[in-house]
Amino acid sequence: MVMFPHCYFNRCIGKYGRPLALSPSKLKTLSCFLFAAKYGTPCAFVESNTAESQDWDPCTAPFTGVLQDEDLLRTTHISSSGTSSNSTGLYVLDLINCGSLEPERTLYSKMLNKCTYLRKLKQGRAIHAHIQSSTFEDDLVLLNFILNMYAKCGSLEEAQDLFDKMPTKDMVSWTVLISGYSQSGQASEALALFPKMLHLGFQPNEFTLSSLLKASGTGPSDHHGRQLHAFSLKYGYDMNVHVGSSLLDMYARWAHMREAKVIFNSLAAKNVVSWNALIAGHARKGEGEHVMRLFLQMLRQGFEPTHFTYSSVFTACASSGSLEQGKWVHAHVIKSGGQPIAYIGNTLIDMYAKSGSIKDAKKVFRRLVKQDIVSWNSIISGYAQHGLGAEALQLFEQMLKAKVQPNEITFLSVLTACSHSGLLDEGQYYFELMKKHKIEAQVAHHVTVVDLLGRAGRLNEANKFIEEMPIKPTAAVWGALLGSCRMHKNMDLGVYAAEQIFELDPHDSGPHVLLSNIYASAGRLSDAAKVRKMMKESGVKKEPACSWVEIENEVHVFVANDDSHPMREEIQRMWEKISGKIKEIGYVPDTSHVLFFMNQQDRELKLQYHSEKLALAFAVLKTPPGLTIRIKKNIRICGDCHSAFKFASRVLGREIIVRDTNRFHHFLHGMCSCRDYW
DNA sequence: GTAGGGTTAG
């Protein structure tokens, strides 16, 4: 390499345009540039962290970075770990024509790697162009670097193009392309390369297999994954910890947890990734207890959880609503210290919101160093689920002020907030606002608008809205209308909506029950019976209702009419006590939500043992007076329980929070936060 | 020397 004369350092200028004197001592801390490409764009600089004043030689110092900007090049100090900061504040001007330096091959590769890591496609392209006019034009290793740069920067077209034109390819070339497709979500393209490479005589290695397996975890069917599994077994790759982890992750993504577990157990050497993949699989299925068990097991075996682990654990806590467990794990994160809160902050917000503590969710949100789109969406959605519509809308406006671009999820949360708080005008306003932000309304957005109009009693408008939808209405859209018809006792439109649903999704029990209830409350008992019969004949089954409460870190599950609980007699006595007290202050059992063909007494009896009531009675037995009771349900709370809980919050003098599949209900002083919208 | 696996909002 040509020696780089020291006078070139004078071309470096400081932050405010003044020449920057780079004394040998400064060279120790500041970076200086070494190379400028003919085209002016790509530049590398070296960090003199190994330098010792005069002995330091810029030509032999290790490369650690690439200059980033185009014309006026502002260098970003890049530490050897690859993270960047602006600490040097060094500006470099006019690097063009500073010499006819011919870069070394390693220089190209280092620069390409930095472009790849920093996702600098433009600079990468310039380096590619430069290489094409050099003697390294056909260098396989350098071409692989370039290929990797295009693939990682998301330009799969350029990657594929280069791959096709490469005079020779090796396993790395194939793996780079496969992983590129796999990482950019183009699973089918990645998987299609597998037979091609076999055909050309290339044997996938552990790297290739991992990438292919990742693709099959998100691909169109688990068929490819099983094929790859067989291949791994044949060549003994299944024992490799990387391939093994990928295999287990692939099965976990297909929710084949039994197979995932078998692979996990068979792994001689497990690592954090294997644990994370297994935990994430169970977390995706909402198996909270299982996740907690695995997490503890992992700790006991001396593995250090990463932010991936915590994210999955919090996701699991969010879906089971285990506030105590979530808090415990949160404390564990803080105690263990090492985990950057930024990575897991968003899952924490979600966990607290879904476990019923919106206050803690807000606290975490406020403390985040940087609030990104996911943070905002999580907190807005949290407020929406708790029926705090005004607060959710306020946050949304704050988000716009903070110049964070909302996406379709943001708007869905905003619309849900309006729907859960009965804010009709606001809902319509924000639905229109989506167009301004160039976000296309999806089915889910339309559902919330139908819901909003329907609840407000504007059923015909809601129907008209559905008719004029630019996309095909789904069962969920008609379901929103049907629910509103039930609420406002509009039988004709309700029947019409139900018919649409039965065509689109004949196996859902919800609409059948709603329709039969609509008939029943209109006095059309024979029609109601017909719907029930239809349900029975077509094998439509209702999901068994259950509720659960968490007491002292343990989850207790209750099923309707459950008489298997060891404390059932005490629980029943407690409910009777509560029931007596609330009847005194005006509670009247609302039997219209129960099967209409029962007599009044049977209906009341049936209602008494609704799972949420059992859960409430149990919680009252097991917790000190005054403490907030948190109950979770796997279906929506029924009208009678809703009414009973309002009275119960008064006679018990404590807050009861119920999370159902739709939202949160905070019962306090005889009222509910949903203001009877649910 | 270049290639691989694990999170988050609906």
Side-chain angles (χ1 to χ4, degrees):
Chain A
M1 181 182 274
V2 179
M3 263 302 279
F4 205 88
H6 270 77
C7 63
Y8 278 109
F9 296 145
N10 294 330
R11 287 174 173 270
C12 304
I13 58 164
K15 222 175 188 172
Y16 304 104
R18 288 190 297 272
L20 188 72
L22 289 171
S23 63
S25 67
K26 277 227 168 131
L27 285 174
K28 280 212 290 193
T29 52
L30 288 180
S31 308
C32 73
F33 71 88
L34 178 65
F35 160 78
K38 278 178 191 163
Y39 304 98
T41 309
C43 301
F45 70 96
V46 291
E47 189 181 38
S48 54
N49 51 359
T50 53
E52 276 308 322
S53 57
Q54 275 90 348
D55 306 332
W56 186 73
D57 177 4
C59 297
T60 56
F63 285 92
T64 53
V66 172
L67 298 186
Q68 294 175 33
D69 291 338
E70 285 81 39
D71 301 316
L72 179 72
L73 292 156
R74 174 167 157 264
T75 66
T76 299
H77 179 90
I78 299 161
S79 72
S80 46
S81 66
T83 53
S84 65
S85 72
N86 292 322
S87 58
T88 53
L90 180 70
Y91 280 67
V92 184
L93 243 191
D94 184 24
L95 291 168
I96 311 166
N97 307 322
C98 71
S100 56
L101 290 171
E102 270 308 318
E104 290 276 308
R105 197 159 156 270
T106 48
L107 179 53
Y108 280 130
S109 61
K110 299 268 181 190
M111 290 168 68
L112 282 165
N113 238 10
K114 281 298 163 189
C115 290
T116 307
Y117 188 81
L118 298 167
R119 303 286 131 98
K120 297 286 177 189
L121 183 58
K122 239 174 153 177
Q123 282 83 347
R125 267 194 208 115
I127 295 167
H128 182 193
H130 198 267
I131 292 172
Q132 278 177 326
S133 62
S134 75
T135 51
F136 301 111
E137 195 185 357
D138 292 332
D139 189 287
L140 176 62
V141 174
L142 274 187
L143 284 170
N144 283 341
F145 270 105
I146 301 167
L147 191 64
N148 190 38
M149 183 274 297
Y150 283 131
K152 290 286 188 306
C153 291
S155 181
L156 272 307
E157 298 83 14
E158 279 165 296
Q160 181 73 60
D161 191 48
L162 178 63
F163 183 82
D164 293 340
K165 287 179 184 151
M166 277 165 73
T168 52
K169 303 171 182 59
D170 65 0
M171 274 315 301
V172 178
S173 329
W174 283 93
T175 310
V176 164
L177 192 64
I178 288 171
S179 78
Y181 277 123
S182 160
Q183 284 171 7
S184 66
Q186 303 182 59
S188 305
E189 281 80 356
L191 292 166
L193 290 167
F194 179 50
K196 276 189 200 161
M197 66 185 295
L198 286 180
H199 183 71
L200 291 169
F202 288 98
Q203 273 278 12
N205 60 24
E206 51 169 308
F207 292 91
T208 334
L209 282 170
S210 295
S211 290
L212 286 166
L213 283 164
K214 184 185 168 159
S216 22
T218 54
S221 85
D222 61 356
H223 166 74
H224 290 103
R226 293 185 186 278
Q227 217 174 21
L228 289 162
H229 190 179
F231 185 91
S232 309
L233 285 170
K234 191 172 164 192
Y235 294 96
Y237 279 119
D238 57 313
M239 282 297 126
N240 177 294
V241 68
H242 302 291
V243 176
S245 298
S246 303
L247 268 170
L248 108 78
D249 182 56
M250 183 275 295
Y251 280 117
R253 279 177 197 279
W254 285 102
H256 303 324
M257 292 316 292
R258 236 175 36 126
E259 277 148 307
K261 188 78 193 209
V262 167
I263 291 169
F264 181 79
N265 289 336
S266 73
L267 279 176
K270 304 176 195 357
N271 63 13
V272 186
V273 179
S274 347
W275 280 99
N276 287 351
L278 186 66
I279 289 176
H282 286 292
R284 275 190 291 266
K285 292 188 85 179
E287 297 166 349
E289 276 186 88
H290 205 136
V291 167
M292 277 311 290
R293 269 206 305 278
L294 287 170
F295 177 67
L296 294 173
Q297 220 176 316
M298 174 182 181
L299 289 178
R300 270 200 302 276
Q301 295 189 19
F303 288 92
E304 189 70 38
T306 66
H307 63 274
F308 291 107
T309 328
Y310 288 120
S311 294
S312 293
V313 174
F314 288 132
T315 302
C317 292
S319 71
S320 63
S322 318
L323 183 60
E324 295 309 314
Q325 290 183 349
K327 275 186 177 167
W328 184 85
V329 179
H330 187 183
H332 192 273
V333 176
I334 294 168
K335 266 189 283 179
S336 59
Q339 287 305 315
I341 198 85
Y343 286 107
I344 52 171
N346 292 340
T347 34
L348 263 176
I349 296 172
D350 190 49
M351 184 276 288
Y352 278 121
K354 291 209 174 99
S355 318
S357 182
I358 190 74
K359 272 185 205 154
D360 286 310
K362 188 67 190 284
K363 231 189 254 175
V364 176
F365 177 78
R366 284 222 184 96
R367 283 186 194 159
L368 284 184
V369 181
K370 190 175 169 278
Q371 284 120 351
D372 64 10
I373 178 77
V374 179
S375 332
W376 285 102
N377 287 353
S378 305
I379 193 71
I380 292 173
S381 148
Y383 274 100
Q385 283 158 9
H386 283 269
L388 298 163
E391 288 85 344
L393 297 184
Q394 237 177 357
L395 275 164
F396 178 68
E397 294 298 334
Q398 280 176 30
M399 172 182 175
L400 294 182
K401 269 191 202 145
K403 303 265 182 251
V404 177
Q405 260 315 309
N407 61 14
E408 68 277 7
I409 299 172
T410 324
F411 275 103
L412 190 60
S413 302
V414 166
L415 291 170
T416 307
C418 296
S419 132
H420 285 176
S421 301
L423 302 168
L424 177 60
D425 294 341
E426 288 85 346
Q428 287 177 315
Y429 165 76
Y430 286 114
F431 186 74
E432 283 301 309
L433 193 68
M434 291 180 72
K435 288 178 196 153
K436 268 197 192 157
H437 287 269
K438 303 215 179 348
I439 294 164
E440 231 170 282
Q442 301 158 353
V443 177
H445 300 93
H446 288 87
V447 173
T448 55
V449 175
V450 172
D451 190 68
L452 262 168
L453 289 165
R455 281 177 198 284
R458 291 153 72 159
L459 295 172
N460 290 327
E461 249 177 274
N463 188 30
K464 192 162 164 269
F465 179 82
I466 297 177
E467 279 169 2
E468 290 169 358
M469 270 175 65
I471 36 178
K472 195 177 179 298
T474 60
V477 179
W478 292 111
L481 183 63
L482 178 61
S484 304
C485 290
R486 158 89 169 103
M487 183 186 265
H488 296 285
K489 304 201 190 316
N490 184 329
M491 197 183 74
D492 292 339
L493 195 54
V495 171
Y496 172 69
E499 280 169 357
Q500 311 302 314
I501 300 172
F502 295 157
E503 262 185 39
L504 291 164
D505 181 12
H507 297 294
D508 189 4
S509 64
H512 287 87
V513 177
L514 272 174
L515 182 63
S516 86
N517 281 336
I518 289 177
Y519 277 133
S521 58
R524 304 257 297 252
L525 294 187
S526 65
D527 284 323
K530 253 188 238 162
V531 178
R532 291 279 169 180
K533 206 170 148 225
M534 200 169 104
M535 246 176 106
K536 238 185 185 168
E537 282 167 359
S538 59
V540 177
K541 283 208 179 86
K542 265 179 91 168
E543 193 185 345
C546 75
S547 300
W548 61 99
V549 277
E550 196 187 17
I551 286 158
E552 284 164 7
N553 249 324
E554 224 178 284
V555 178
H556 301 261
V557 184
F558 298 88
V559 187
N561 302 305
D562 181 14
D563 51 7
S564 65
H565 199 281
M567 285 178 64
R568 71 171 189 281
E569 282 178 17
E570 283 165 275
I571 294 170
Q572 279 176 17
R573 268 202 301 279
M574 177 51 84
W575 175 250
E576 274 155 30
K577 211 169 128 189
I578 298 170
S579 171
K581 279 192 192 164
I582 60 178
K583 275 180 181 163
E584 277 171 28
I585 61 165
Y587 164 67
V588 182
D590 173 6
T591 55
S592 69
H593 295 266
V594 197
L595 304 180
F596 59 91
F597 46 75
M598 289 182 170
N599 65 38
Q600 182 66 21
Q601 213 181 3
D602 284 347
R603 289 190 201 185
E604 276 193 39
L605 208 64
K606 193 106 180 161
L607 279 175
Q608 276 188 33
Y609 304 121
H610 265 186
S611 61
E612 53 267 55
K613 288 176 182 144
L614 298 175
L616 176 66
F618 180 74
V620 172
L621 280 168
K622 297 294 254 185
T623 56
L627 203 78
T628 300
I629 295 172
R630 294 163 201 274
I631 296 171
K632 272 83 66 175
K633 269 209 76 151
N634 70 335
I635 54 168
R636 285 199 191 187
I637 186 170
C638 87
D640 177 65
C641 289
H642 193 266
S643 159
F645 277 30
K646 282 197 283 186
F647 287 106
S649 70
R650 224 167 98 193
V651 302
L652 296 170
R654 54 204 279 186
E655 187 177 13
I656 306 165
I657 300 176
V658 176
R659 184 187 89 168
D660 69 13
T661 40
N662 195 36
R663 58 168 300 154
F664 279 93
H665 300 264
H666 294 249
F667 298 94
L668 189 66
H669 308 312
M671 289 189 297
C672 178
S673 61
C674 77
R675 292 182 295 151
D676 300 338
Y677 273 109
W678 82 91

